[in-house]
Amino acid sequence: MQCGDALSFRSYGPAGHSHSHAHLQLVLPLHGSLELEIEGRGGRLDAARGALVLPGAAHVQSGNGRNRFLIVDCDSALLARSQLERAQQRPFLQVSGAARSLLEFIEIRTGTQPNVSTALAQHALPLLLDALFAAPVAAAPSGAALRRLSAQILEAPGQAWSLARMAQVAGVGLTALHGLFKREYGLTPAQWLLQQRLQLAQRQLA
């Protein structure tokens, strides 16, 4: 299987079935969320969390509402042995800010087509894998991280937005999360979230 030919977009319904395949598969989030169980290990994919499904691993998924994921199907030789061994124990992976930007770029360039062009895949995939699996580099929190988090909260303000989840989606620590909200909104994350929920309730009553 040539990885450059095997990047596609997929949405999932609420009822999946257990299956496996002979190739390596990356499930990377674009919009919405997905419950995924891999060899008995369950997890939720949303915004900053993807999954690495090893060849032969039985898995089943259930989509939550509107969702869209970038699927990478390729040979396991693409990754180092240490990365494959890690995936056996921890199949879920964090999507860094750099990887997130690449995913958004791939989606924009592909538009409504179900498959990523071979030319784009061949150029973007190495960068995407490097962003996903390279050692993280510390970076200053940015307004872009806060805007990404705010947009996702506003899509579903009634969900359980704990501080830990908010920090994970923004890709920052708890201290940096408070600093971002204070700088941009003059509020703590909890105060801002409460404000959004109150405004939503007011609109619904109106």
Side-chain angles (χ1 to χ4, degrees):
M1 174 178 290
Q2 297 297 316
C3 295
D5 296 329
L7 272 68
S8 60
F9 297 101
R10 198 170 302 169
S11 297
Y12 295 92
H17 63 279
S18 181
H19 63 286
S20 63
H21 31 65
H23 56 268
L24 184 76
Q25 184 176 81
L26 281 163
V27 184
L28 303 172
L30 289 165
H31 309 288
S33 61
L34 176 72
E35 300 295 333
L36 180 63
E37 182 178 298
I38 306 170
E39 291 290 332
R41 295 182 176 89
R44 186 172 191 264
L45 277 55
D46 63 351
R49 197 182 196 207
L52 177 58
V53 184
L54 294 176
H59 55 288
V60 61
Q61 70 282 326
S62 175
N64 298 319
R66 175 180 172 269
N67 64 81
R68 196 182 195 209
F69 292 80
L70 178 68
I71 306 301
V72 180
D73 291 317
C74 58
D75 193 281
S76 57
L78 192 69
L79 297 183
R81 182 176 177 179
S82 60
Q83 294 167 337
L84 297 174
E85 290 175 346
R86 177 193 175 279
Q88 288 183 321
Q89 302 301 320
R90 291 180 290 169
F92 300 97
L93 53 90
Q94 296 301 309
V95 178
S96 66
R100 184 80 196 167
S101 296
L102 281 166
L103 289 171
E104 293 169 354
F105 172 77
I106 293 170
E107 183 181 31
I108 290 170
R109 288 294 300 271
T110 305
T112 59
Q113 297 300 312
N115 298 307
V116 179
S117 70
T118 301
L120 175 57
Q122 288 176 341
H123 284 89
L125 184 58
L127 297 173
L128 181 59
L129 293 175
D130 185 63
L132 287 168
F133 296 104
V137 177
S142 68
L146 183 58
R147 288 191 294 273
R148 182 172 66 247
L149 170 63
S150 300
Q152 292 197 34
I153 291 176
L154 291 175
E155 285 184 2
Q159 288 187 4
W161 287 101
S162 65
L163 291 178
R165 183 185 175 193
M166 293 168 74
Q168 181 187 57
V169 172
V172 300
L174 291 176
T175 300
L177 181 73
H178 277 270
L180 280 172
F181 272 89
K182 279 290 189 179
R183 185 175 72 235
E184 296 293 327
Y185 300 128
L187 301 168
T188 68
Q191 289 171 336
W192 182 85
L193 178 60
L194 177 60
Q195 183 183 80
Q196 303 313 307
R197 286 172 170 169
L198 287 172
Q199 290 176 358
L200 174 63
Q202 289 171 348
R203 290 194 298 270
Q204 290 176 332
L205 288 173

PDB file of all heavy atoms in Angstrom, residues 150-179:
ATOM      1  N   SER A 150     -12.083  28.171  22.062  1.00  0.00           N
ATOM      2  CA  SER A 150     -13.344  28.901  22.191  1.00  0.00           C
ATOM      3  C   SER A 150     -14.356  28.435  21.146  1.00  0.00           C
ATOM      4  O   SER A 150     -15.541  28.253  21.448  1.00  0.00           O
ATOM      5  CB  SER A 150     -13.101  30.406  22.037  1.00  0.00           C
ATOM      6  OG  SER A 150     -12.215  30.873  23.037  1.00  0.00           O
ATOM      7  N   ALA A 151     -13.896  28.230  19.917  1.00  0.00           N
ATOM      8  CA  ALA A 151     -14.795  27.798  18.847  1.00  0.00           C
ATOM      9  C   ALA A 151     -15.398  26.436  19.158  1.00  0.00           C
ATOM     10  O   ALA A 151     -16.596  26.205  18.938  1.00  0.00           O
ATOM     11  CB  ALA A 151     -14.041  27.755  17.525  1.00  0.00           C
ATOM     12  N   GLN A 152     -14.602  25.537  19.695  1.00  0.00           N
ATOM     13  CA  GLN A 152     -15.112  24.204  20.000  1.00  0.00           C
ATOM     14  C   GLN A 152     -16.085  24.237  21.174  1.00  0.00           C
ATOM     15  O   GLN A 152     -17.084  23.516  21.186  1.00  0.00           O
ATOM     16  CB  GLN A 152     -13.959  23.254  20.302  1.00  0.00           C
ATOM     17  CG  GLN A 152     -13.117  22.985  19.069  1.00  0.00           C
ATOM     18  CD  GLN A 152     -12.237  21.765  19.223  1.00  0.00           C
ATOM     19  OE1 GLN A 152     -12.617  20.802  19.871  1.00  0.00           O
ATOM     20  NE2 GLN A 152     -11.065  21.813  18.635  1.00  0.00           N
ATOM     21  N   ILE A 153     -15.813  25.068  22.151  1.00  0.00           N
ATOM     22  CA  ILE A 153     -16.737  25.190  23.281  1.00  0.00           C
ATOM     23  C   ILE A 153     -18.065  25.776  22.815  1.00  0.00           C
ATOM     24  O   ILE A 153     -19.138  25.309  23.217  1.00  0.00           O
ATOM     25  CB  ILE A 153     -16.119  26.062  24.394  1.00  0.00           C
ATOM     26  CG1 ILE A 153     -14.944  25.326  25.047  1.00  0.00           C
ATOM     27  CG2 ILE A 153     -17.174  26.417  25.451  1.00  0.00           C
ATOM     28  CD1 ILE A 153     -14.219  26.140  26.096  1.00  0.00           C
ATOM     29  N   LEU A 154     -18.005  26.786  21.954  1.00  0.00           N
ATOM     30  CA  LEU A 154     -19.230  27.426  21.485  1.00  0.00           C
ATOM     31  C   LEU A 154     -20.078  26.489  20.627  1.00  0.00           C
ATOM     32  O   LEU A 154     -21.290  26.676  20.522  1.00  0.00           O
ATOM     33  CB  LEU A 154     -18.885  28.694  20.696  1.00  0.00           C
ATOM     34  CG  LEU A 154     -18.307  29.838  21.546  1.00  0.00           C
ATOM     35  CD1 LEU A 154     -17.885  30.994  20.663  1.00  0.00           C
ATOM     36  CD2 LEU A 154     -19.299  30.296  22.600  1.00  0.00           C
ATOM     37  N   GLU A 155     -19.445  25.461  20.023  1.00  0.00           N
ATOM     38  CA  GLU A 155     -20.213  24.472  19.279  1.00  0.00           C
ATOM     39  C   GLU A 155     -21.045  23.591  20.205  1.00  0.00           C
ATOM     40  O   GLU A 155     -22.113  23.119  19.829  1.00  0.00           O
ATOM     41  CB  GLU A 155     -19.269  23.579  18.456  1.00  0.00           C
ATOM     42  CG  GLU A 155     -18.707  24.254  17.214  1.00  0.00           C
ATOM     43  CD  GLU A 155     -17.856  23.300  16.393  1.00  0.00           C
ATOM     44  OE1 GLU A 155     -17.755  22.117  16.781  1.00  0.00           O
ATOM     45  OE2 GLU A 155     -17.298  23.734  15.376  1.00  0.00           O
ATOM     46  N   ALA A 156     -20.551  23.379  21.425  1.00  0.00           N
ATOM     47  CA  ALA A 156     -21.251  22.506  22.380  1.00  0.00           C
ATOM     48  C   ALA A 156     -20.965  22.969  23.807  1.00  0.00           C
ATOM     49  O   ALA A 156     -20.272  22.298  24.568  1.00  0.00           O
ATOM     50  CB  ALA A 156     -20.819  21.054  22.203  1.00  0.00           C
ATOM     51  N   PRO A 157     -21.492  24.143  24.199  1.00  0.00           N
ATOM     52  CA  PRO A 157     -21.179  24.689  25.522  1.00  0.00           C
ATOM     53  C   PRO A 157     -21.735  23.854  26.663  1.00  0.00           C
ATOM     54  O   PRO A 157     -21.265  23.972  27.800  1.00  0.00           O
ATOM     55  CB  PRO A 157     -21.830  26.085  25.482  1.00  0.00           C
ATOM     56  CG  PRO A 157     -22.909  25.961  24.454  1.00  0.00           C
ATOM     57  CD  PRO A 157     -22.376  25.022  23.418  1.00  0.00           C
ATOM     58  N   GLY A 158     -22.728  23.004  26.392  1.00  0.00           N
ATOM     59  CA  GLY A 158     -23.324  22.204  27.458  1.00  0.00           C
ATOM     60  C   GLY A 158     -22.526  20.967  27.817  1.00  0.00           C
ATOM     61  O   GLY A 158     -22.846  20.275  28.792  1.00  0.00           O
ATOM     62  N   GLN A 159     -21.482  20.660  27.046  1.00  0.00           N
ATOM     63  CA  GLN A 159     -20.671  19.490  27.356  1.00  0.00           C
ATOM     64  C   GLN A 159     -19.875  19.700  28.637  1.00  0.00           C
ATOM     65  O   GLN A 159     -19.795  20.807  29.158  1.00  0.00           O
ATOM     66  CB  GLN A 159     -19.718  19.178  26.197  1.00  0.00           C
ATOM     67  CG  GLN A 159     -20.397  18.609  24.970  1.00  0.00           C
ATOM     68  CD  GLN A 159     -19.389  18.163  23.925  1.00  0.00           C
ATOM     69  OE1 GLN A 159     -18.178  18.211  24.140  1.00  0.00           O
ATOM     70  NE2 GLN A 159     -19.890  17.734  22.770  1.00  0.00           N
ATOM     71  N   ALA A 160     -19.282  18.620  29.133  1.00  0.00           N
ATOM     72  CA  ALA A 160     -18.495  18.688  30.372  1.00  0.00           C
ATOM     73  C   ALA A 160     -17.111  19.258  30.054  1.00  0.00           C
ATOM     74  O   ALA A 160     -16.185  18.514  29.704  1.00  0.00           O
ATOM     75  CB  ALA A 160     -18.375  17.302  30.992  1.00  0.00           C
ATOM     76  N   TRP A 161     -16.993  20.574  30.147  1.00  0.00           N
ATOM     77  CA  TRP A 161     -15.729  21.242  29.850  1.00  0.00           C
ATOM     78  C   TRP A 161     -14.942  21.452  31.138  1.00  0.00           C
ATOM     79  O   TRP A 161     -14.987  22.507  31.744  1.00  0.00           O
ATOM     80  CB  TRP A 161     -15.976  22.566  29.134  1.00  0.00           C
ATOM     81  CG  TRP A 161     -16.403  22.396  27.721  1.00  0.00           C
ATOM     82  CD1 TRP A 161     -17.672  22.483  27.223  1.00  0.00           C
ATOM     83  CD2 TRP A 161     -15.564  22.073  26.613  1.00  0.00           C
ATOM     84  NE1 TRP A 161     -17.679  22.237  25.875  1.00  0.00           N
ATOM     85  CE2 TRP A 161     -16.401  21.980  25.465  1.00  0.00           C
ATOM     86  CE3 TRP A 161     -14.186  21.841  26.464  1.00  0.00           C
ATOM     87  CZ2 TRP A 161     -15.903  21.684  24.203  1.00  0.00           C
ATOM     88  CZ3 TRP A 161     -13.694  21.542  25.212  1.00  0.00           C
ATOM     89  CH2 TRP A 161     -14.545  21.464  24.105  1.00  0.00           C
ATOM     90  N   SER A 162     -14.216  20.439  31.551  1.00  0.00           N
ATOM     91  CA  SER A 162     -13.354  20.583  32.716  1.00  0.00           C
ATOM     92  C   SER A 162     -12.133  21.422  32.333  1.00  0.00           C
ATOM     93  O   SER A 162     -11.807  21.576  31.146  1.00  0.00           O
ATOM     94  CB  SER A 162     -12.885  19.215  33.217  1.00  0.00           C
ATOM     95  OG  SER A 162     -12.050  18.598  32.241  1.00  0.00           O
ATOM     96  N   LEU A 163     -11.436  21.960  33.318  1.00  0.00           N
ATOM     97  CA  LEU A 163     -10.233  22.734  33.031  1.00  0.00           C
ATOM     98  C   LEU A 163      -9.188  21.878  32.332  1.00  0.00           C
ATOM     99  O   LEU A 163      -8.486  22.337  31.433  1.00  0.00           O
ATOM    100  CB  LEU A 163      -9.666  23.321  34.325  1.00  0.00           C
ATOM    101  CG  LEU A 163     -10.492  24.429  34.979  1.00  0.00           C
ATOM    102  CD1 LEU A 163      -9.834  24.876  36.278  1.00  0.00           C
ATOM    103  CD2 LEU A 163     -10.646  25.625  34.037  1.00  0.00           C
ATOM    104  N   ALA A 164      -9.110  20.610  32.743  1.00  0.00           N
ATOM    105  CA  ALA A 164      -8.127  19.711  32.140  1.00  0.00           C
ATOM    106  C   ALA A 164      -8.427  19.509  30.655  1.00  0.00           C
ATOM    107  O   ALA A 164      -7.524  19.506  29.814  1.00  0.00           O
ATOM    108  CB  ALA A 164      -8.126  18.373  32.867  1.00  0.00           C
ATOM    109  N   ARG A 165      -9.702  19.342  30.321  1.00  0.00           N
ATOM    110  CA  ARG A 165     -10.066  19.148  28.914  1.00  0.00           C
ATOM    111  C   ARG A 165      -9.826  20.415  28.112  1.00  0.00           C
ATOM    112  O   ARG A 165      -9.334  20.369  26.984  1.00  0.00           O
ATOM    113  CB  ARG A 165     -11.532  18.724  28.808  1.00  0.00           C
ATOM    114  CG  ARG A 165     -11.963  18.434  27.368  1.00  0.00           C
ATOM    115  CD  ARG A 165     -13.443  18.136  27.261  1.00  0.00           C
ATOM    116  NE  ARG A 165     -13.840  17.979  25.869  1.00  0.00           N
ATOM    117  CZ  ARG A 165     -15.099  17.963  25.451  1.00  0.00           C
ATOM    118  NH1 ARG A 165     -16.092  18.076  26.316  1.00  0.00           N
ATOM    119  NH2 ARG A 165     -15.369  17.831  24.168  1.00  0.00           N
ATOM    120  N   MET A 166     -10.142  21.561  28.697  1.00  0.00           N
ATOM    121  CA  MET A 166      -9.922  22.825  28.008  1.00  0.00           C
ATOM    122  C   MET A 166      -8.435  23.022  27.720  1.00  0.00           C
ATOM    123  O   MET A 166      -8.047  23.446  26.627  1.00  0.00           O
ATOM    124  CB  MET A 166     -10.483  23.977  28.836  1.00  0.00           C
ATOM    125  CG  MET A 166     -12.011  23.957  28.952  1.00  0.00           C
ATOM    126  SD  MET A 166     -12.658  25.115  30.193  1.00  0.00           S
ATOM    127  CE  MET A 166     -12.433  26.678  29.350  1.00  0.00           C
ATOM    128  N   ALA A 167      -7.603  22.705  28.693  1.00  0.00           N
ATOM    129  CA  ALA A 167      -6.158  22.851  28.513  1.00  0.00           C
ATOM    130  C   ALA A 167      -5.649  21.898  27.443  1.00  0.00           C
ATOM    131  O   ALA A 167      -4.788  22.251  26.632  1.00  0.00           O
ATOM    132  CB  ALA A 167      -5.446  22.601  29.843  1.00  0.00           C
ATOM    133  N   GLN A 168      -6.209  20.687  27.416  1.00  0.00           N
ATOM    134  CA  GLN A 168      -5.786  19.695  26.423  1.00  0.00           C
ATOM    135  C   GLN A 168      -6.128  20.149  25.013  1.00  0.00           C
ATOM    136  O   GLN A 168      -5.306  20.053  24.101  1.00  0.00           O
ATOM    137  CB  GLN A 168      -6.447  18.350  26.714  1.00  0.00           C
ATOM    138  CG  GLN A 168      -6.045  17.242  25.742  1.00  0.00           C
ATOM    139  CD  GLN A 168      -6.838  15.964  25.943  1.00  0.00           C
ATOM    140  OE1 GLN A 168      -8.069  15.971  25.886  1.00  0.00           O
ATOM    141  NE2 GLN A 168      -6.147  14.879  26.203  1.00  0.00           N
ATOM    142  N   VAL A 169      -7.343  20.649  24.821  1.00  0.00           N
ATOM    143  CA  VAL A 169      -7.757  21.107  23.501  1.00  0.00           C
ATOM    144  C   VAL A 169      -6.915  22.296  23.040  1.00  0.00           C
ATOM    145  O   VAL A 169      -6.527  22.391  21.874  1.00  0.00           O
ATOM    146  CB  VAL A 169      -9.255  21.483  23.500  1.00  0.00           C
ATOM    147  CG1 VAL A 169      -9.647  22.149  22.189  1.00  0.00           C
ATOM    148  CG2 VAL A 169     -10.107  20.244  23.746  1.00  0.00           C
ATOM    149  N   ALA A 170      -6.612  23.196  23.980  1.00  0.00           N
ATOM    150  CA  ALA A 170      -5.801  24.369  23.637  1.00  0.00           C
ATOM    151  C   ALA A 170      -4.329  24.022  23.461  1.00  0.00           C
ATOM    152  O   ALA A 170      -3.576  24.789  22.863  1.00  0.00           O
ATOM    153  CB  ALA A 170      -5.956  25.443  24.712  1.00  0.00           C
ATOM    154  N   GLY A 171      -3.937  22.857  23.992  1.00  0.00           N
ATOM    155  CA  GLY A 171      -2.539  22.447  23.885  1.00  0.00           C
ATOM    156  C   GLY A 171      -1.619  23.196  24.823  1.00  0.00           C
ATOM    157  O   GLY A 171      -0.446  23.423  24.514  1.00  0.00           O
ATOM    158  N   VAL A 172      -2.145  23.597  25.992  1.00  0.00           N
ATOM    159  CA  VAL A 172      -1.348  24.333  26.976  1.00  0.00           C
ATOM    160  C   VAL A 172      -1.565  23.732  28.357  1.00  0.00           C
ATOM    161  O   VAL A 172      -2.463  22.911  28.558  1.00  0.00           O
ATOM    162  CB  VAL A 172      -1.729  25.835  27.000  1.00  0.00           C
ATOM    163  CG1 VAL A 172      -1.504  26.478  25.646  1.00  0.00           C
ATOM    164  CG2 VAL A 172      -3.179  26.022  27.432  1.00  0.00           C
ATOM    165  N   GLY A 173      -0.761  24.155  29.317  1.00  0.00           N
ATOM    166  CA  GLY A 173      -0.941  23.739  30.695  1.00  0.00           C
ATOM    167  C   GLY A 173      -2.025  24.555  31.371  1.00  0.00           C
ATOM    168  O   GLY A 173      -2.506  25.557  30.825  1.00  0.00           O
ATOM    169  N   LEU A 174      -2.398  24.149  32.588  1.00  0.00           N
ATOM    170  CA  LEU A 174      -3.469  24.849  33.302  1.00  0.00           C
ATOM    171  C   LEU A 174      -3.095  26.297  33.618  1.00  0.00           C
ATOM    172  O   LEU A 174      -3.928  27.199  33.500  1.00  0.00           O
ATOM    173  CB  LEU A 174      -3.809  24.100  34.591  1.00  0.00           C
ATOM    174  CG  LEU A 174      -4.486  22.739  34.411  1.00  0.00           C
ATOM    175  CD1 LEU A 174      -4.674  22.057  35.759  1.00  0.00           C
ATOM    176  CD2 LEU A 174      -5.835  22.898  33.727  1.00  0.00           C
ATOM    177  N   THR A 175      -1.853  26.527  34.006  1.00  0.00           N
ATOM    178  CA  THR A 175      -1.426  27.898  34.318  1.00  0.00           C
ATOM    179  C   THR A 175      -1.490  28.778  33.076  1.00  0.00           C
ATOM    180  O   THR A 175      -1.986  29.906  33.121  1.00  0.00           O
ATOM    181  CB  THR A 175       0.008  27.895  34.881  1.00  0.00           C
ATOM    182  OG1 THR A 175       0.052  27.099  36.072  1.00  0.00           O
ATOM    183  CG2 THR A 175       0.457  29.315  35.212  1.00  0.00           C
ATOM    184  N   ALA A 176      -1.001  28.241  31.956  1.00  0.00           N
ATOM    185  CA  ALA A 176      -1.038  29.005  30.710  1.00  0.00           C
ATOM    186  C   ALA A 176      -2.476  29.247  30.258  1.00  0.00           C
ATOM    187  O   ALA A 176      -2.798  30.299  29.698  1.00  0.00           O
ATOM    188  CB  ALA A 176      -0.263  28.269  29.622  1.00  0.00           C
ATOM    189  N   LEU A 177      -3.358  28.267  30.501  1.00  0.00           N
ATOM    190  CA  LEU A 177      -4.770  28.418  30.133  1.00  0.00           C
ATOM    191  C   LEU A 177      -5.383  29.605  30.867  1.00  0.00           C
ATOM    192  O   LEU A 177      -6.066  30.437  30.260  1.00  0.00           O
ATOM    193  CB  LEU A 177      -5.532  27.138  30.471  1.00  0.00           C
ATOM    194  CG  LEU A 177      -7.025  27.132  30.109  1.00  0.00           C
ATOM    195  CD1 LEU A 177      -7.196  27.013  28.599  1.00  0.00           C
ATOM    196  CD2 LEU A 177      -7.736  25.973  30.812  1.00  0.00           C
ATOM    197  N   HIS A 178      -5.152  29.700  32.169  1.00  0.00           N
ATOM    198  CA  HIS A 178      -5.671  30.836  32.940  1.00  0.00           C
ATOM    199  C   HIS A 178      -5.105  32.147  32.407  1.00  0.00           C
ATOM    200  O   HIS A 178      -5.836  33.147  32.293  1.00  0.00           O
ATOM    201  CB  HIS A 178      -5.320  30.663  34.421  1.00  0.00           C
ATOM    202  CG  HIS A 178      -6.263  29.784  35.166  1.00  0.00           C
ATOM    203  ND1 HIS A 178      -7.391  30.256  35.798  1.00  0.00           N
ATOM    204  CD2 HIS A 178      -6.261  28.448  35.373  1.00  0.00           C
ATOM    205  CE1 HIS A 178      -8.039  29.263  36.367  1.00  0.00           C
ATOM    206  NE2 HIS A 178      -7.380  28.142  36.126  1.00  0.00           N
ATOM    207  N   GLY A 179      -3.815  32.140  32.076  1.00  0.00           N
ATOM    208  CA  GLY A 179      -3.191  33.359  31.563  1.00  0.00           C
ATOM    209  C   GLY A 179      -3.809  33.806  30.245  1.00  0.00           C
ATOM    210  O   GLY A 179      -4.039  35.005  30.033  1.00  0.00           O
TER     211      GLY A 179
END
